[in-house]
Amino acid sequence: MIWQNWGRTESASPASVLTPVSEDGVAAAIETARETGTTVKAVGAGHSFSGIAVPGETMLDLTNMRGLVRIDDLDATFRAGTHLYEIPAWLEPHGLAMANLGDIDRQTLAGATSTGTHGTGVTFGGISTQITRLRLVTGRCEEREITDPTELQAAALGLGALGIVTEITVRCVPAFSIEASEQPAKVGDVLGRLREEIETNDHFEFYWFPHTEAALTKRNKRLSGLVEPSGPSKFRRYVDDELLSNKLFGGLCRVSARFPNAVPTINKVSGNALSGRTFVDASAAVFASERKVRFREMEYAVPLEKLGEAFDGVRKLIADKGYRVSFPIEVRAAAADDLMLSTASGRTSGYVAVHRYFRDEPDDYFRDVEEVMMNLGGRPHWGKMHTRDADYLREVYPRFDEFCAVRDRLDPDRIFRNPYLDRVLGDDR
Ligand SMILES: Cc1cc2nc3c(=O)[nH]c(=O)nc-3n(C[C@H](O)[C@H](O)[C@H](O)COP(=O)(O)OP(=O)(O)OC[C@H]3O[C@@H](n4cnc5c(N)ncnc54)[C@H](O)[C@@H]3O)c2cc1C
């Protein structure tokens, strides 16, 4: 076994691992695969929980294709293997920042955008919506710049199915700070004002601790420009996060995995220990935090107006079925966008994410959550665990067949296929 993902849900032993340094090197790998009738898969940081990144015969590691290519006004072009955590240092001298980010920054730019990685904020789309152009090598071995708007609506969130992406241009914004406010609350109160919270805050999200009334709310306010950091320092926040969110929480998860019946009590103690904090820092430092406790995750997007129903459905099934869930449930929102396979394609969306500590005994929790989400027209995150196939996905994505048509043009011989893509896009050739 050569490759495994962060969540330890997938692993693979590809026959060869290549680390190209240039687009021509990528093209050469694809040419060889064409000649030998084999497949090629680029992997990013392995942070997808689904099998989307699982390589077959040839695995491409783009570690040697990282860094800034050029800045053109607000547009910054990066090589596709650049990690999100590397980007702020490249943008800082130009007074720029990425408009929005997810919870962590360990992913590669190509990996994050290929699966529709998103943060929260009802007027902000996922990271793929920031893409203005990209370069890729198609399954026909063509080295192409994608600028055509319709083709870009497929390729900016391409599931790794259209080509090996070599460069990505993102539209940045002038660097800005965020005033972050994290506050404990009662989950009933949060739900009562959920729509208002989502609509009046730039970025709102909350975590609910199952088996308790405890929630942690996070409100991020965008400030105009960069201002002096204030509140607990980055170091202090790191220590708090390290001790509470990583070390202590990790210990509690280990105990919970061994003694599931103790979970409600443990969650009550965790919920009671929540405390508030407010601080100001540069945007990237606020958006991303470290996750050291290993978990598995499923996340579904539903139309925003159904978010409360989706959350209540999960809460009810935990109670009804007696599941013991140690991990908080995360609720977020995002703007509608025009990308063919974005979870927010054509609809303003609310997100419910459920997690399991990676050592928890497997049970039907995720399957039951999926049932709730399917009844609400839910769309699964492409990089997180789900069981949906092409028949279901075609129903919930109006532009599904348009995407498949772009795939037929760019990868007619299915050089980039793997079992996950066969399932979600249809094993048609
Ligand atoms: C701890 C943790 C926190 C997370 N938080 C969030 C979050 O806040 N929001 C969210 O939406 N998601 C989140 N995710 C999910 C994660 O962002 C996505 O799964 C993302 O795709 C991972 O990026 P990666 O670089 O690890 O890509 P990988 O998982 O390695 O690959 C993902 C896909 O990208 C393709 N790919 C990679 N490079 C290329 C390339 N050069 N050309 C073509 N295709 C390519 C792969 O083939 C694969 O299909 C989280 C995951 C973890 C483990």
Side-chain angles (χ1 to χ4, degrees), residues 289-308:
S289 45
E290 272 198 65
R291 298 290 161 87
K292 289 191 181 158
V293 183
R294 216 175 281 284
F295 57 82
R296 297 170 175 170
E297 182 174 352
M298 165 184 281
E299 184 178 47
Y300 264 80
V302 295
L304 184 61
E305 56 279 13
K306 295 190 174 163
L307 181 58

Side-chain angles (χ1 to χ4, degrees), residues 6 41-49 52-53 62 80 102-104 107-108 110-112 114-118 159-160 163-165 291 295 332 381 383-384:
W6 184 91
K41 180 78 28 204
V43 303
H47 273 52
S48 293
F49 301 91
I52 193 165
L62 299 198
D103 283 350
I104 61 156
Q107 310 94 319
T108 60
S114 293
T115 58
T117 296
H118 64 92
L159 312 186
I164 304 298
V165 179
R291 298 290 161 87
F295 57 82
R332 297 185 277 185
H381 189 302
K384 301 187 183 178

Side-chain angles (χ1 to χ4, degrees), residues 115-116 153-154 157-159 337-345 379-380 382 393 397 399-401 403-404 425:
T115 58
Q153 288 169 4
L157 202 166
L159 312 186
D337 63 50
D338 59 6
L339 304 178
M340 292 177 194
L341 293 189
S342 164
T343 46
S345 185
R379 296 171 177 166
W382 298 103
L393 295 162
Y397 281 99
R399 301 186 69 188
F400 188 87
D401 286 322
F403 182 89
C404 293
L425 296 178

Side-chain angles (χ1 to χ4, degrees), residues 98-100 120 123-124 173-174 176-179 202-203 220-225 283 287:
M98 287 181 72
N100 195 13
T120 192
T123 56
F124 296 90
V173 296
F176 64 104
S177 293
I178 284 180
E179 185 184 287
D202 292 329
H203 306 274
N220 285 342
K221 181 176 175 195
R222 299 164 82 92
L223 305 178
S224 51
S283 57
F287 284 133

Side-chain angles (χ1 to χ4, degrees), residues 159 161 341 390 400 403-404 407 420-427:
L159 312 186
L341 293 189
F400 188 87
F403 182 89
C404 293
R407 186 187 189 206
Y420 178 88
L421 290 185
D422 286 350
R423 167 161 68 88
V424 300
L425 296 178
D427 180 9

